[in-house]
Amino acid sequence: MNQDLKLIKKHYGEKMMHLCRKMLPTILETEGLLPSLMFKNFEFNHDLYDDLKDNELLDEFRNFMYKQVNIEPFLYIDTDKTPEELLDEAGYILYECHSESEIQSFKRYYKKEEEICTFKTHRLDVSRVFFAIKKDVNQIKREDFIKPSRQDLYGTSVISIQFKKDGTNFLTITNRYNHRVRNPDATFSSNLDNIIPGLTKSFEKYYGIVQTIKDREFDIPNYVNIKGKYYKYNNEIGNIYYCPNNIIIKNEEIIKYPKEKYIVMDYFILDLQNKKIMLLDEMEDGFAYNINNINIKNIMVVNENLDKKIIITPDKGDEIIIKLNKDNQIISIKDTNIIRGENYFLTYCRNIEHLELPNLEILGDDALYDNTALKELELPKVKIIGKNFMAGEETALKVFRAPMLDILYPYAFCALNSALEVLDTPKLRAIGFMALKYNTVLKVFNAPNLESIGDFVLFCNESLEELNIPQNVDIGMSFLDYHPHRDEILESRRAI
Amino acid sequence: MKQVIIENIEDYNYYLKDKEKNDYKITIMFYDIELPKVNDCLIINKELLKEKGILNLGLMDDYYGRNIENKKDKDLVILIKDNKEIYLKKLYG
């Protein structure tokens, strides 16, 4: 393996090395050029290949890299063949649409709820619209494609080629799966020559359609481009980017915190020497507040393969254990000392899968707001949970047990949660506005001490089978509105 | 997300300006809502402001777009019109 590829493998991983070897042979001909381009444009990161592949950006990466050395990544071949002839060779029949009814005639090729929004009319006001249909389209069945992929046989069997009518002729190639796949409007990487060589020039020659914009912005989801270099980030909060490898980007300034003194974990900056947690930009977080209000005797960091375990030993009480994944995102916390969690407790921590707070009694507002990883949570002593608990994202929480919970404050306890199947809160007296609004799968709601239910609680639920609440509960508006047997469920409620 | 004000409209072309006085010109097709007017605002993801093709926006339950389930989704756009917030999402195809 040549030295350049070894460097790529070291800093970006083996898959990336193979990709570069396959896609960038011209660049590899010049010794030292490939690593220098990669180092200049991409912060070291072994996830880069997977992130490009998952977002269908491999071709775009190739084009981007060749542009860095002013090499046209693509030679647009000249031809005397018409677009119809070329597409016929590629197995398609080409149609141009001149009226709305002609456009609508292609709707039949799409599965319901996968139709392209071209069918919502008026597209001809802004675009020139063509459809290319595979000659064997009737043999390509949607049900045979269980895991849609943008470039698979089904996705590319019916495409709409559209040119914007603003002089640029900006090209869009839509996909038969539409939004079921990523970047559906960039099928064939928005390059006609990827369908069949010569097609770009052919459209120029025979339809007079000259694309003046062939370059696209190279955007990678969850990467930020700062002064030309792409950085992967874990969190973006208030325009500050918190990246793996102890990097924070603020106002386009790259700040690298020395690893012997600090650990940047999610959006917390753990100061190992001064034994405290710092937050930027006057941010608040109940977890940081708690750590900063105890006397810490020692902090130990243990590497466990690519993960880390941080052991905080307080003057009084048990050790607090925090586990981080390879990107320094918090995945687990155990704290047996904490009794009160202040507002914004772990509010932006998306990736916590395990939380052990056995003595927590009060949890403030906006706790775990952005979490999407916890599947089960037990808070055995919690009595009060503030508003917006796990309310910001579609949470994965399936089981929630809080045997001492008395009050769930208003505004959206897990409002967006559609996964919760078990809600075990036998002492619950009040459940606030919009709690579990989007939940559809909860089957048993056991709250024999309940006194009040806020508006829109369990609004979308269709699965509830057992409702154990007292007869005289004060029930708000739109409780179980979507449930097909709402009236029977309400009549059958009983207290155990 | 960024807030931009609609400074001018020509056919489907919307001329927008943000708080930092950056200008944007995007071709937008709005579906199933009353069209915005000059001085209405959009709260929109920075990525969508780079659109060189056509940005299609429709209502949240429109099946030509993805399901939007959180306020940070990049396809979510909020139109502020007559002091009301109208939630829209990017449509595809």
Side-chain angles (χ1 to χ4, degrees):
Chain A
M1 192 193 309
N2 82 22
Q3 186 60 27
D4 287 356
L5 289 172
K6 280 185 189 166
L7 286 169
I8 300 302
K9 181 177 173 182
K10 179 181 174 188
H11 294 294
Y12 301 100
E14 186 164 355
K15 286 186 274 189
M16 198 64 205
M17 182 271 291
H18 286 301
L19 179 73
C20 289
R21 179 162 58 192
K22 181 181 162 190
M23 282 202 160
L24 307 173
T26 310
I27 294 177
L28 272 168
E29 285 171 8
T30 305
E31 189 180 334
L33 181 57
L34 176 65
S36 106
L37 289 176
M38 286 294 290
F39 297 170
K40 181 184 163 202
N41 290 289
F42 298 96
E43 179 64 16
F44 297 152
N45 166 19
H46 281 232
D47 293 333
L48 181 58
Y49 173 84
D50 286 337
D51 291 337
L52 291 171
K53 185 159 185 357
D54 290 346
N55 290 289
E56 310 247 21
L57 289 171
L58 295 179
D59 281 345
E60 284 78 354
F61 166 76
R62 181 200 59 213
N63 295 346
F64 172 81
M65 291 296 282
Y66 276 116
K67 287 289 181 196
Q68 304 308 303
V69 287
N70 295 317
I71 293 175
E72 184 56 53
F74 222 85
L75 281 173
Y76 290 97
I77 295 170
D78 212 345
T79 177
D80 289 328
K81 293 183 183 173
T82 66
E84 286 79 2
E85 286 166 344
L86 283 171
L87 282 164
D88 179 77
E89 284 178 30
Y92 289 93
I93 303 173
L94 179 69
Y95 305 87
E96 182 175 8
C97 297
H98 299 281
S99 69
E100 196 54 54
S101 59
E102 286 176 2
I103 289 178
Q104 295 297 326
S105 70
F106 292 95
K107 197 172 180 179
R108 69 182 193 278
Y109 289 110
Y110 294 81
K111 184 184 171 192
K112 195 166 160 42
E113 297 192 1
E114 291 178 358
E115 296 108 326
I116 54 177
C117 72
T118 300
F119 299 124
K120 282 180 83 71
T121 75
H122 294 290
R123 185 57 57 91
L124 289 170
D125 292 354
V126 290
S127 294
R128 205 160 161 184
V129 177
F130 297 79
F131 279 89
I133 311 291
K134 275 279 186 173
K135 292 177 206 172
D136 59 349
V137 65
N138 291 328
Q139 275 80 61
I140 303 170
K141 306 282 184 200
R142 177 65 174 92
E143 53 268 25
D144 294 337
F145 294 84
I146 298 159
K147 204 173 171 198
S149 169
R150 189 180 79 184
Q151 294 301 133
D152 71 23
L153 194 58
Y154 181 87
T156 57
S157 57
V158 175
I159 55 176
S160 182
I161 300 169
Q162 300 186 17
F163 300 94
K164 196 174 173 191
K165 281 181 186 174
D166 65 343
T168 66
N169 292 311
F170 187 84
L171 170 67
T172 303
I173 304 177
T174 70
N175 195 278
R176 198 175 177 191
Y177 290 117
N178 205 21
H179 58 277
R180 299 273 183 246
V181 293
R182 297 203 194 199
N183 297 323
D185 294 342
T187 301
F188 289 109
S189 301
S190 301
N191 185 332
L192 293 169
D193 276 48
N194 282 337
I195 306 174
I196 182 162
L199 192 57
T200 303
K201 290 285 186 190
S202 184
F203 266 99
E204 284 182 14
K205 196 178 281 189
Y206 290 97
Y207 282 98
I209 298 174
V210 179
Q211 296 172 56
T212 60
I213 303 174
K214 290 199 183 82
D215 291 343
R216 312 263 157 160
E217 293 275 353
F218 183 46
D219 287 321
I220 314 171
N222 298 317
Y223 283 70
V224 61
N225 187 300
I226 302 292
K227 296 175 185 167
K229 192 168 184 174
Y230 288 88
Y231 294 82
K232 182 166 184 168
Y233 62 89
N234 291 329
N235 297 81
E236 181 266 310
I237 303 166
N239 277 324
I240 298 176
Y241 295 89
Y242 299 87
C243 305
N245 288 321
N246 266 22
I247 292 172
I248 292 177
I249 304 173
K250 185 179 174 184
N251 297 329
E252 301 225 330
E253 190 191 338
I254 315 297
I255 309 165
K256 292 189 181 182
Y257 285 80
K259 289 182 183 177
E260 63 277 9
K261 292 182 184 173
Y262 302 95
I263 296 177
V264 177
M265 48 185 200
D266 277 312
Y267 51 97
F268 302 107
I269 304 165
L270 178 62
D271 183 340
L272 296 168
Q273 291 185 331
N274 294 308
K275 300 188 186 66
K276 62 174 185 174
I277 288 180
M278 300 187 293
L279 295 169
L280 295 183
D281 254 29
E282 296 175 0
M283 222 192 306
E284 291 174 46
D285 187 286
F287 175 72
Y289 177 89
N290 184 61
I291 296 290
N292 290 338
N293 277 281
I294 58 176
N295 290 325
I296 296 176
K297 207 158 57 177
N298 188 44
I299 298 179
M300 185 162 67
V301 181
V302 178
N303 290 317
E304 297 181 335
N305 294 319
L306 294 174
D307 296 349
K308 283 188 190 66
K309 184 159 73 175
I310 298 172
I311 303 170
I312 297 175
T313 307
D315 270 348
K316 290 179 190 168
D318 298 331
E319 289 172 342
I320 299 166
I321 313 241
I322 304 168
K323 289 188 185 170
L324 310 180
N325 65 14
K326 64 174 179 60
D327 292 327
N328 279 0
Q329 296 166 314
I330 299 175
I331 54 173
S332 170
I333 294 179
K334 179 179 174 181
D335 185 347
T336 58
N337 309 310
I338 187 170
I339 294 173
R340 185 185 176 104
E342 299 295 338
N343 292 342
Y344 304 104
F345 189 84
L346 300 168
T347 198
Y348 296 112
C349 289
R350 302 172 64 89
N351 297 287
I352 297 178
E353 300 165 353
H354 179 79
L355 194 59
E356 203 173 324
L357 307 170
N359 293 305
L360 185 74
E361 292 182 12
I362 297 173
L363 191 55
D365 297 338
D366 298 283
L368 293 159
Y369 190 89
D370 273 1
N371 184 279
T372 56
L374 265 169
K375 291 201 173 64
E376 286 196 28
L377 179 61
E378 179 165 358
L379 298 172
K381 291 194 180 168
V382 78
K383 294 185 181 128
I384 296 173
I385 293 180
K387 62 182 182 174
N388 293 329
F389 175 70
M390 298 184 81
E393 299 273 344
E394 189 184 3
T395 75
L397 198 66
K398 283 191 166 188
V399 177
F400 180 69
R401 295 187 204 283
M404 305 300 290
L405 184 62
D406 183 37
I407 298 178
L408 261 174
Y409 271 91
Y411 300 108
F413 165 71
C414 297
L416 295 171
N417 172 280
S418 54
L420 195 75
E421 295 170 358
V422 176
L423 179 61
D424 186 10
T425 51
K427 295 210 168 167
L428 191 65
R429 285 192 299 121
I431 180 167
F433 171 72
M434 276 180 61
L436 292 164
K437 182 180 176 188
Y438 292 102
N439 179 281
T440 54
V441 298
L442 190 75
K443 288 203 166 67
V444 177
F445 183 21
N446 181 32
N449 292 295
L450 204 57
E451 294 171 5
S452 71
I453 297 176
D455 297 340
F456 293 100
V457 171
L458 288 167
F459 177 67
C460 294
N461 184 281
E462 297 171 349
S463 304
L464 199 72
E465 292 168 358
E466 220 177 295
L467 179 62
N468 297 328
I469 59 174
Q471 289 286 333
N472 58 348
V473 170
D474 180 20
I475 299 179
M477 232 174 44
S478 300
F479 176 60
L480 289 172
D481 254 16
Y482 273 77
H483 199 290
H485 307 294
R486 181 179 187 270
D487 293 340
E488 293 96 315
I489 288 277
L490 286 173
E491 276 177 29
S492 73
R493 64 193 171 160
R494 68 191 189 281
I496 294 172
Chain B
M1 300 283 261
K2 205 183 240 291
Q3 181 159 326
V4 291
I5 187 165
I6 300 174
E7 290 213 314
N8 194 15
I9 304 171
E10 285 174 5
D11 296 326
Y12 294 95
N13 293 316
Y14 289 77
Y15 295 82
L16 312 170
K17 195 186 278 281
D18 66 19
K19 285 179 186 165
E20 288 81 33
K21 310 272 187 235
N22 297 310
D23 293 314
Y24 307 89
K25 178 191 163 192
I26 312 179
T27 307
I28 308 178
M29 296 192 80
F30 289 92
Y31 292 97
D32 303 317
I33 65 162
E34 187 186 325
L35 290 178
K37 296 186 175 61
V38 170
N39 292 325
D40 287 342
C41 290
L42 293 170
I43 299 176
I44 184 169
N45 190 280
K46 289 182 277 196
E47 305 301 319
L48 295 185
L49 287 171
K50 296 178 192 173
E51 179 62 67
K52 291 182 181 138
I54 296 150
L55 177 61
N56 297 290
L57 296 177
L59 297 173
M60 294 293 280
D61 57 0
D62 203 318
Y63 62 70
Y64 295 97
R66 295 168 40 249
N67 284 338
I68 305 293
E69 276 153 353
N70 74 76
K71 285 176 256 184
K72 291 186 187 165
D73 196 300
K74 291 179 179 177
D75 283 358
L76 177 68
V77 175
I78 305 172
L79 169 62
I80 304 173
K81 187 179 174 48
D82 303 325
N83 289 320
K84 284 185 214 158
E85 287 184 346
I86 303 169
Y87 283 72
L88 304 170
K89 66 180 182 183
K90 179 179 171 176
L91 306 183
Y92 289 87

